[in-house]
Amino acid sequence: MTSRIPHTLTRNPHLTATAALTLTATLTQTQPTYNTPTGDINLTAVKHSIIQLIETNAEQRDDGTSLVGTFVRLAWHASGTYSQADHTGGSQGGRMRFDPEASFGANAGLNVARAALESVKAQHPAISYADLYCLSGVAAIEHAGGPAIEFELGREDAVSGESSPPDGRLPDADKGSSKGTIEHVREVFYRMGFGDREIVALLGAHALGRCHTDRSGYWGPWTFAENTMSNEYFRLLVEERWSPKTMHNGKPWTGPDQFEDSTGKLMMLPSDIALIRDPSFRKYVEMYAKDEDLFFKDFAQAFSKLLSLGVPLSTAAGKPWYQFW
């Protein structure tokens, strides 16, 4: 796995000095300002530091939870603001360090993940925050037994949140009805350039982590093995009986609408249940419930594509990074 510094005007030997200056001046008027860390980056070493952080933090918690799901969510939310219509948003810039993105409701609780990664940044100062946030999700998935994710370095850091996309681009868990929620899920993912199969594959990341009432308002894990990447999320969706949650710890549930299994220990969001109520989504849920290898294959490609959104195209045949294979 190699690291690549993004192509820039000043590194292109085919541009004359005059042309480079002219084009640079033009781009400066329309592009956000970025800060690119310098120095060599050992991708394997950075991933190792992230994994060490996950393990140390899990030992300190000693409650069966970890940063695995939180790092996946960080990588997801750092990238999932992309719009293919105007090419705004996405993982370039690492703008969640600043307002307004840091204060988006959908990013509640991710300050914990960003703060935890400061120790990794201190160990590897050459890596950009934009790369680090995405890589934390990659390392977490692989550490949890998931597939290897194709990943390249090269994202640059914005110097402010001025170029942040508008709030509201990340998916909501509930739009008040199955029809509305299904339409919302498609609207969010289609905006980024994903199809139904990729949508279902990406939502399989709910095998990891849990919801917290002090962040999203929802409560509980999706599976009994929240630190292990598997197709269990899909199996549970199709095999368990899911009913609206009405009680919690012996008291009436007062949080947002969610679903629970027969034990009351597992949960599904309305957007999860939407996957088995929509025929197109459901066929992929059933497919992945039966074939974990297929799920891992599709997830790895879709997640790599997600993390590349908003990053300038590679000079190699003009293809995005995720289309190299």
Side-chain angles (χ1 to χ4, degrees):
M1 198 171 292
T2 59
S3 62
R4 174 181 54 79
I5 302 298
H7 171 76
T8 63
L9 293 171
T10 56
R11 295 189 185 110
N12 190 334
H14 301 294
L15 284 176
T16 64
T18 302
L21 288 173
T22 301
L23 284 172
T24 300
T26 301
L27 288 173
T28 301
Q29 298 175 4
T30 58
Q31 299 296 320
T33 302
Y34 292 105
N35 176 33
T36 307
T38 58
D40 294 331
I41 303 170
N42 184 322
L43 187 60
T44 300
V46 181
K47 288 172 71 173
H48 179 69
S49 294
I50 294 170
I51 291 170
Q52 280 191 318
L53 172 61
I54 292 172
E55 293 177 340
T56 300
N57 178 269
E59 290 176 0
Q60 293 170 345
R61 295 185 182 202
D62 195 28
D63 61 359
T65 67
S66 77
L67 284 167
V68 165
T70 311
F71 281 164
V72 173
R73 180 169 166 247
L74 175 65
W76 207 115
H77 285 215
S79 309
T81 58
Y82 181 70
S83 171
Q84 64 176 351
D86 59 9
H87 307 293
T88 57
S91 62
Q92 174 82 331
R95 291 174 291 249
M96 202 191 296
R97 293 159 20 247
F98 310 109
D99 282 330
E101 278 191 63
S103 299
F104 286 175
N107 292 334
L110 288 178
N111 59 306
V112 173
R114 298 194 303 271
L117 287 170
E118 286 296 332
S119 64
V120 178
K121 176 68 171 171
Q123 294 174 63
H124 308 277
I127 192 170
S128 68
Y129 281 102
D131 275 337
L132 181 59
Y133 292 170
C134 291
L135 185 60
S136 72
V138 170
I141 287 166
E142 295 178 2
H143 178 61
I149 308 294
E150 291 286 344
F151 179 85
E152 289 201 35
L153 297 165
R155 296 162 188 79
E156 299 171 304
D157 286 336
V159 298
S160 73
E162 183 179 358
S163 60
S164 288
D167 196 1
R169 288 189 176 182
L170 294 167
D172 291 330
D174 187 11
K175 283 300 183 180
S177 68
S178 290
K179 182 176 183 294
T181 301
I182 290 167
E183 291 175 349
H184 170 70
V185 169
R186 283 202 169 96
E187 178 184 1
V188 167
F189 283 89
Y190 284 6
R191 185 201 69 232
M192 292 185 278
F194 291 107
D196 284 1
R197 182 168 181 155
E198 292 171 307
I199 292 172
V200 177
L202 285 171
L203 290 178
H206 281 175
L208 300 172
R210 61 168 56 222
C211 288
H212 303 265
T213 54
D214 61 343
R215 299 175 190 177
S216 64
Y218 297 96
W219 176 88
W222 286 269
T223 76
F224 285 114
E226 62 185 87
N227 298 315
T228 301
M229 186 71 170
S230 70
N231 67 338
E232 186 71 356
Y233 166 76
F234 297 113
R235 188 192 67 77
L236 289 168
L237 263 178
V238 296
E239 293 183 8
E240 281 290 331
R241 178 180 178 181
W242 298 97
S243 57
K245 183 177 181 64
T246 58
M247 301 292 292
H248 184 66
N249 291 333
K251 298 179 180 179
W253 171 247
T254 59
D257 290 345
Q258 66 176 73
F259 295 82
E260 64 182 10
D261 72 335
S262 57
T263 70
K265 296 179 180 179
L266 299 181
M267 61 86 67
M268 289 288 171
L269 301 170
S271 54
D272 298 313
I273 298 301
L275 297 184
I276 56 175
R277 291 181 174 172
D278 179 85
S280 177
F281 286 152
R282 185 180 180 105
K283 68 181 180 182
Y284 298 118
V285 171
E286 293 176 344
M287 184 186 304
Y288 295 145
K290 297 175 181 177
D291 192 336
E292 185 176 85
D293 289 341
L294 178 61
F295 163 53
F296 276 14
K297 174 179 175 293
D298 287 357
F299 177 84
Q301 184 167 352
F303 195 68
S304 184
K305 173 180 175 178
L306 172 68
L307 300 187
S308 76
L309 298 179
V311 182
L313 294 179
S314 165
T315 56
K319 290 185 177 182
W321 299 348
Y322 61 85
Q323 290 183 0
F324 276 8
W325 54 92

